[in-house]
Amino acid sequence: DQQVKQNSPSLSVQEGRISILNCDYTNSMFDYFLWYKKYPAEGPTFLISISSIKDKNEDGRFTVFLNKSAKHLSLHIVPSQPGDSAVYFCAAGWAQGKLIFGQGTTLQVKP
Amino acid sequence: ETGVTQSPTHLIKTRGQQVTLRCSSQSGHNTVSWYQQALGQGPQFIFQYYREEENGRGNFPPRFSGLQFPNYSSELNVNALELDDSALYLCASSETSGRTDTQYFGPGTRLTVL
């Protein structure tokens, strides 16, 4: 059973525009959610997180929104830059520290 | 402050062999988690070690085992390798366990089983 799903395998946006990456989850017991970015031949790099008691967290160009009633979270990148091109993973976790990852979305930002 | 490091970078083994992968956690971190990432998939949780004790395990068979040392570095051992064990193995460290702690990943070890 896939508890965390990223239904869009890929996304292409123009430089300067907004990128919106989506993630759905099924387990309402998750305590927190994170977004990671991954370049080829590197490990995932932490981007931003949000606690289950919040609905928004912002860090520079990155904002994560959490809609608990819909069991949905999204990552907004504004403005998008070519260097943002990578695979983005959402992950959900419990207090026990185990993370459940989605399948990833490949973002391409065109100059 | 050094980040999470893993060794080796790449490894090729044959079916039935055993392999040991190593991870040094980020300075100040006492928890290490191991993940397996198959091609085109997200990382899958294998297990976590907190202060040298296993602290949670994912849906992996017992031939996947681990250790954490007093300096919080860690090893992942896989016995009786199977073709499906070919994957990127990621180690992640965090400051404590049992809270909403961000995990920081190493670059991974690419294991190929022939």
Side-chain angles (χ1 to χ4, degrees), chain A residues 32 94-99, chain B residues 30-35 45-58 66-68 74 92-94 96-99 101 103:
Chain A
Y32 58 103
W94 290 272
Q96 295 91 332
K98 168 182 175 180
L99 292 181
Chain B
N30 55 16
T31 301
V32 172
S33 304
W34 286 92
Y35 293 82
F45 177 76
I46 303 175
F47 44 56
Q48 182 182 84
Y49 279 83
Y50 170 61
R51 293 187 174 179
E52 303 178 58
E53 299 282 334
E54 188 178 288
N55 184 46
R57 189 178 183 91
L67 278 174
Q68 188 179 30
S74 177
S93 74
S94 53
T96 60
S97 177
R99 289 172 36 206
D101 303 303
Q103 296 182 20

Side-chain angles (χ1 to χ4, degrees), chain A residues 2 31-32 34 36 38 41-46 49 51 89 94-104, chain B residues 33 35 37 40-43 45 48 55 57-58 88 90 97-108:
Chain A
Q2 192 75 27
D31 292 312
Y32 58 103
L34 310 95
Y36 285 87
K38 188 178 186 299
E42 294 183 12
T45 302
F46 169 71
S49 64
S51 165
F89 291 100
W94 290 272
Q96 295 91 332
K98 168 182 175 180
L99 292 181
I100 307 292
F101 282 83
Q103 309 95 309
Chain B
S33 304
Y35 293 82
Q37 186 180 11
Q41 301 294 318
F45 177 76
Q48 182 182 84
N55 184 46
R57 189 178 183 91
L88 179 69
L90 294 161
S97 177
R99 289 172 36 206
T100 58
D101 303 303
T102 300
Q103 296 182 20
Y104 294 89
F105 284 82

Side-chain angles (χ1 to χ4, degrees), chain B residues 7-56:
Chain B
S7 62
T9 308
H10 296 89
L11 203 51
I12 299 175
K13 292 284 188 178
T14 55
R15 200 168 46 181
Q17 284 188 310
Q18 178 265 341
V19 70
T20 298
L21 310 182
R22 293 179 176 84
C23 171
S24 291
S25 58
Q26 188 165 315
S27 175
H29 288 184
N30 55 16
T31 301
V32 172
S33 304
W34 286 92
Y35 293 82
Q36 180 195 67
Q37 186 180 11
L39 205 59
Q41 301 294 318
Q44 298 234 341
F45 177 76
I46 303 175
F47 44 56
Q48 182 182 84
Y49 279 83
Y50 170 61
R51 293 187 174 179
E52 303 178 58
E53 299 282 334
E54 188 178 288
N55 184 46

Side-chain angles (χ1 to χ4, degrees), chain A residues 9-20:
Chain A
S10 62
L11 175 68
S12 182
V13 300
Q14 210 64 37
E15 181 179 5
R17 298 288 188 99
I18 184 171
S19 295
I20 300 176

Side-chain angles (χ1 to χ4, degrees), chain A residues 3 9 22 24 35-36 45 48 61 63 65 69 74 107-108:
Chain A
Q3 295 191 63
N22 294 302
D24 297 301
W35 284 93
Y36 285 87
T45 302
I48 191 168
R61 297 187 297 117
T63 303
F65 294 93
S69 60
S74 60
L107 173 66
Q108 183 185 27

Side-chain angles (χ1 to χ4, degrees), chain A residues 49-68:
Chain A
S49 64
I50 187 167
S51 165
S52 61
I53 61 172
K54 305 222 168 170
D55 54 22
K56 178 182 174 182
N57 188 27
E58 196 171 348
D59 184 1
R61 297 187 297 117
F62 302 93
T63 303
V64 57
F65 294 93
L66 176 61
N67 182 335
K68 287 185 285 294

Side-chain angles (χ1 to χ4, degrees), chain B residues 60-72:
Chain B
F60 280 81
R63 59 190 185 84
F64 286 78
S65 63
L67 278 174
Q68 188 179 30
F69 300 99
N71 66 355
Y72 303 130

